[in-house]
Amino acid sequence: MRTGEEDEAIKWLQTSVENNPDFRNGHFNLATMLAGRGRLEEAAHHFGEAHRIDPEDVEAHLEFATALGLTGQKEKAITELRALLEIHPNQSGALLNLGILLAQRQQVDEAIRAFSDLIQIGESPEAELAAHLRIATLEAERGMEESAIGHYRSAIELDPRSLEAYLGLASALGRTGKFAEAATEYSQVLALDPARMDAHFGLVTALILSEQYDSAVVSLEESLSQPSAPLALKHVLAQLLAACPDAEVRDGDRALVLAQEVFQEDQTLDHAETVAMALAEVGKFDDAVELQSRVVAEAQRLGQTDLARRAQSRLEKYQRG
């Protein structure tokens, strides 16, 4: 429907409900159109009127509560959702919205109960997926990582293409020190969406922390082939090639080329340090000392004491060769 036609429809419905205040369909349709226009307070009023006219109208009651929540009337929305669930305890939309509102009010245990009830109903895979993801997020936020991991895995079983589930699972695995498993899940994300830069960073971090340095280099090279690859990925590759704990993975010459390219594009102290690191790796210690000395002096001038201290420690290593 075009904008002009929508305006006319809204006017017609407004006149209809003014002339017949008990016209349920008029209130409901008007509320739906107002909500689509972002006029949520008006929409909430008319959804409420539709519910008033027919208290057994589950759809109107749910939309009324939803609109209340969207207009910031969360306590009133929770009250309405609980009233609806008293009559229809298996109403999945009400359980989902109730859980969301309770979570927003930091009533985490109650929110998880609502989402768990939604899972138990088993009404639809979509509703179960949403509930598992919500519970996983809440559990992760309060440090219950193993529970979060279980719910993320359940979400993946329901939807093997859920990027949100794979990313959540990978992050939770990483936070529990299961870096190799985290790398596997980040790889699943990239198989589904190669352009996800957060997954590229997550994968290389997990590979490095699990000491899979060869795989980390390969992963970075693949990431840099993406048109949207940020400069930070090239910087990470330069650092890895310059200072990898595995001497067989280090490649000072290539690290220096990459580090100089990064520094030329963005002349930060971090990037200058990486150039110095690569210079040291290829045995050019005098050049490394000169550049690292400038980094230390500039960090001190800027009052960046932590950076200056770390840079000084590296400078002393280069001075010792």
Side-chain angles (χ1 to χ4, degrees):
M1 187 179 291
R2 297 173 183 170
T3 301
E5 293 173 338
E6 285 184 355
D7 290 338
E8 287 300 316
I10 288 172
K11 289 178 182 178
W12 183 86
L13 287 167
Q14 285 172 330
T15 301
S16 297
V17 298
E18 285 171 7
N19 294 333
N20 183 2
D22 292 331
F23 180 22
R24 181 271 178 200
N25 287 350
H27 283 291
F28 189 90
N29 293 336
L30 175 58
T32 301
M33 297 191 75
L34 290 169
R37 290 291 191 86
R39 295 162 63 177
L40 297 175
E41 290 187 4
E42 294 172 81
H45 168 73
H46 288 287
F47 280 131
E49 285 297 291
H51 172 55
R52 174 191 62 78
I53 295 163
D54 183 2
E56 297 299 316
D57 186 338
V58 174
E59 186 179 15
H61 200 171
L62 178 58
E63 293 292 349
F64 175 45
T66 302
L68 288 171
L70 292 173
T71 58
Q73 301 177 69
K74 291 184 171 57
E75 197 61 48
K76 190 173 180 182
I78 289 171
T79 299
E80 292 298 332
L81 288 168
R82 283 180 166 150
L84 173 56
L85 288 166
E86 281 290 323
I87 304 169
H88 303 280
N90 292 338
Q91 219 295 321
S92 59
L95 284 168
L96 179 60
N97 285 349
L98 177 61
I100 291 170
L101 290 170
L102 289 169
Q104 290 173 352
R105 295 179 63 81
Q106 302 303 311
Q107 295 171 249
V108 176
D109 288 335
E110 292 182 63
I112 288 176
R113 277 197 295 273
F115 293 133
S116 297
D117 288 344
L118 179 55
I119 293 169
Q120 289 299 316
I121 292 169
E123 182 178 278
S124 71
E126 292 79 9
E128 289 183 61
L129 173 65
H132 279 297
L133 289 173
R134 295 280 182 175
I135 294 175
T137 300
L138 292 172
E139 293 286 52
E141 287 174 351
R142 62 179 183 177
M144 305 291 287
E145 298 291 1
E146 291 302 329
S147 176
I149 287 169
H151 283 285
Y152 281 127
R153 291 195 190 282
S154 294
I156 290 169
E157 287 179 10
L158 289 163
D159 182 4
R161 299 188 63 80
S162 173
L163 293 177
E164 182 181 354
Y166 282 117
L167 284 168
L169 177 57
S171 296
L173 288 167
R175 288 192 296 271
T176 57
K178 300 172 183 175
F179 303 120
E181 292 181 56
T184 299
E185 303 307 329
Y186 281 122
S187 295
Q188 291 287 348
V189 174
L190 293 173
L192 294 168
D193 185 359
R196 286 295 298 246
M197 285 301 131
D198 52 349
H200 282 285
F201 278 107
L203 174 58
V204 71
T205 301
L207 290 170
I208 290 172
L209 290 173
S210 60
E211 300 181 1
Q212 299 180 67
Y213 303 117
D214 282 330
S215 296
V217 171
V218 172
S219 173
L220 282 163
E221 289 170 340
E222 291 175 352
S223 298
L224 289 170
S225 70
Q226 293 294 317
S228 58
L231 187 67
L233 283 172
K234 184 185 286 189
H235 184 221
V236 173
L237 180 56
Q239 288 181 312
L240 184 59
L241 293 173
C244 181
D246 185 343
E248 293 187 3
V249 174
R250 292 201 299 273
D251 184 340
D253 291 328
R254 188 174 174 212
L256 183 57
V257 171
L258 291 169
Q260 288 172 333
E261 289 175 356
V262 170
F263 183 70
Q264 186 173 11
E265 189 167 339
D266 187 11
Q267 297 185 11
T268 68
L269 294 182
D270 282 343
H271 294 164
E273 274 205 294
T274 303
V275 175
M277 190 184 301
L279 286 167
E281 176 59 22
V282 297
K284 296 182 178 180
F285 289 106
D286 289 342
D287 292 338
V289 167
E290 180 185 353
L291 180 54
Q292 190 71 12
S293 297
R294 296 207 303 268
V295 171
V296 172
E298 184 64 10
Q300 291 172 338
R301 186 186 72 80
L302 295 172
Q304 298 181 17
T305 54
D306 288 343
L307 174 58
R309 185 165 52 251
R310 292 194 302 272
Q312 179 64 35
S313 176
R314 289 187 179 127
L315 173 59
E316 291 169 1
K317 291 178 181 178
Y318 302 156
Q319 288 170 333
R320 293 195 300 269

